[in-house]
Amino acid sequence: MKLVYKNPVELAKIFSAISVIVNEVNLDFNEDGLSIFGLDSSHVSMIFLKLNKEDCLEYMCIEPVRLGINLKTLTSILQTGKESDNVVIENNELDSINIVIQNDSRKIEYEIKLMEIVMEDLFIPELEYPISLITTSGYFYNLLESISVIGSDDVNIKIDSGKMLIVTG
């Protein structure tokens, strides 16, 4: 399995936003790309992320592989990169993942030991939503941070007249 992505900072923002809800996840690589399913510790919030192989500079996965990883560790590594760097993620061994952040003038290599995360296979049912929100990963991260500051167990996100409202119970 090998994934080359054009911007480690962008990838770090995506994984950092997810790590606000869940710390440890399984990265599922298959012929179509990378997907992440995760549940928070109280099994209230579910996360699903799909990174298509077309979103990568290079992507190769001969057979499906599931890699358990700590997102905060992965995010910390990705944050050492710059927007002009590429990040290479490879799994050559059964117990670790190799990450290389590089550009024309430098190359930094990391190795993260994998975790065994036992989680039942989850699926998202096909649903039709009347509203679609398209935003940047940075804005989404700030939104999740704002929600965590509120400190309420009950948070509703509503779209009304083209505006997004966050209402706490």
Side-chain angles (χ1 to χ4, degrees), residues 151-169:
S152 175
D153 289 339
D154 185 19
V155 177
N156 293 303
I157 300 174
K158 297 180 181 182
I159 306 291
D160 187 26
S161 301
K163 294 182 182 180
M164 182 170 57
L165 306 168
I166 300 173
V167 182
T168 60

Side-chain angles (χ1 to χ4, degrees), residues 11-25 27 34-40 45-50 71-72 75 137 140-141 144-145:
L11 212 51
K13 287 179 182 177
I14 294 168
F15 289 143
S16 182
I18 294 170
S19 72
V20 171
I21 296 173
V22 59
N23 291 326
E24 300 169 348
V25 295
L27 304 178
L34 163 67
S35 61
I36 297 175
F37 284 103
L39 288 173
D40 70 334
S45 299
M46 182 172 74
I47 296 295
F48 173 72
L49 169 77
K50 175 83 170 151
L71 278 181
K72 292 198 185 280
T75 301
S137 60
F140 184 67
Y141 175 79
L144 292 177
E145 283 291 315

Side-chain angles (χ1 to χ4, degrees), residues 99-155:
I99 301 171
V100 178
I101 296 176
Q102 61 189 5
N103 61 31
D104 293 336
S105 62
R106 72 182 178 110
K107 180 178 181 179
I108 305 169
E109 298 183 35
Y110 299 92
E111 181 179 335
I112 301 176
K113 295 291 182 193
L114 297 174
M115 308 168 69
E116 186 168 334
I117 300 171
V118 179
M119 183 182 298
E120 62 186 81
D121 285 335
L122 305 172
F123 71 95
I124 297 177
E126 289 293 324
L127 299 172
E128 291 288 327
Y129 294 101
I131 296 172
S132 177
L133 174 67
I134 299 172
T135 185
T136 65
S137 60
Y139 181 80
F140 184 67
Y141 175 79
N142 289 335
L143 176 65
L144 292 177
E145 283 291 315
S146 297
I147 291 171
S148 70
V149 168
I150 294 169
S152 175
D153 289 339
D154 185 19
V155 177

